[in-house]
Amino acid sequence: QSALTQPRSVSGSPGQSVTISCTGTSSDVGGYNYVSWYQQHPGKAPKLMIYDVSKRPSGVPDRFSGSKSGNTASLTISGLQAEDEADYYCCSYAGSYTFWVFGGGTKLTVL
Amino acid sequence: QVQLQESGPGLVKPSETLSLTCTVSGGSVSSGSYYWSWIRQPPGKGLEWIGYIYYSGSTNYNPSLKSRVTISVDTSKNQFSLKLSSVTAADTAVYYCARDRWPPQGFGWGQGTLVTVSS
């Protein structure tokens, strides 16, 4: 069982927006602004999409955005495209003992 | 651009020790800016952080694996390594090496290597 809770799956049509939630506790998501999101296509390594809750690395489209409220972080993908179909994982800093915890992953289907 | 490449046996017998190496190119493991991690993903499942090492040799491990994990660094070879002892089938996974900074800026990943635990 993963430390952070994500929905197993979400879906949307091309051009629509979807939001993936990531719920933790005050010891991880709620306690630090160190939440990151990763996109993983089948058979590939994860790719960083968002770090520090809402920052985008260079090269990541601005269709991807992140936010946080309390113990829940969210990844929003607007203007869905076929290539966005993938698994998405959240990750949070959880203090100097546990350090990093991940969510169980969310499968995004573009209809 | 820094690249990470995992290497090691793809098959390990139960109760033995899993050993993997990550070779860093385009950058240096001796850089004081980065932490070097191992992360794994069982087939069809989510990601699990195993631990990290700093170039100085200081380490931090996932409490759930701490008793079986050792991460080391070889600055002369620009590599860092993972040893996981007393493996079982539950340790079958794709193992990734990755790097991050402090304050964090997200992980940069190697391509991953599948390790199967089976007799």
Side-chain angles (χ1 to χ4, degrees):
Chain A
Q1 186 173 351
S2 302
L4 306 179
T5 300
Q6 297 180 234
R8 294 288 295 269
S9 64
V10 298
S11 63
S13 299
Q16 288 186 332
S17 295
V18 295
T19 296
I20 300 172
S21 62
C22 170
T23 301
T25 69
S26 58
S27 297
D28 38 64
V29 174
Y32 309 93
N33 287 324
Y34 294 142
V35 176
S36 52
W37 289 90
Y38 300 89
Q39 176 192 67
Q40 187 179 37
H41 287 109
K44 300 294 187 181
K47 174 188 175 183
L48 177 66
M49 306 303 285
I50 296 287
Y51 68 98
D52 289 0
V53 174
S54 60
K55 297 178 181 177
R56 274 180 292 104
S58 61
V60 172
D62 59 7
R63 303 184 294 105
F64 292 83
S65 63
S67 63
K68 190 184 84 166
S69 177
N71 296 336
T72 298
S74 298
L75 172 71
T76 298
I77 309 170
S78 58
L80 270 179
Q81 300 181 3
E83 67 250 36
D84 299 333
E85 185 163 295
D87 293 326
Y88 291 84
Y89 293 90
C90 62
C91 176
S92 175
Y93 179 67
S96 59
Y97 180 67
T98 307
F99 229 84
W100 296 111
V101 290
F102 284 92
T106 298
K107 180 176 181 57
L108 169 62
T109 301
V110 180
L111 300 170
Chain B
Q1 183 176 348
V2 177
Q3 292 188 320
L4 309 175
Q5 178 67 59
E6 305 87 351
S7 60
L11 181 65
V12 180
K13 290 182 169 55
S15 80
E16 295 189 344
T17 296
L18 177 159
S19 296
L20 294 174
T21 295
C22 182
T23 300
V24 180
S25 58
S28 172
V29 292
S30 299
S31 167
S33 300
Y34 294 100
Y35 291 78
W36 307 94
S37 283
W38 288 97
I39 298 167
R40 70 180 183 178
Q41 184 174 34
K45 296 187 178 181
L47 299 161
E48 181 181 35
W49 177 75
I50 300 170
Y52 76 69
I53 190 164
Y54 193 52
Y55 81 101
S56 63
S58 65
T59 55
N60 197 322
Y61 301 136
N62 186 323
S64 69
L65 298 169
K66 187 173 184 176
S67 63
R68 299 194 292 130
V69 173
T70 302
I71 298 177
S72 58
V73 64
D74 187 336
T75 55
S76 67
K77 294 183 179 179
N78 217 28
Q79 296 174 334
F80 62 105
S81 298
L82 168 70
K83 291 188 184 299
L84 181 64
S85 64
S86 304
V87 297
T88 69
D91 296 309
T92 293
V94 175
Y95 286 77
Y96 295 98
C97 57
R99 71 163 191 168
D100 194 4
R101 298 172 177 266
W102 192 265
Q105 294 184 10
F107 291 110
W109 304 71
Q111 66 181 35
T113 187
L114 174 63
V115 179
T116 301
V117 178
S118 175
S119 56

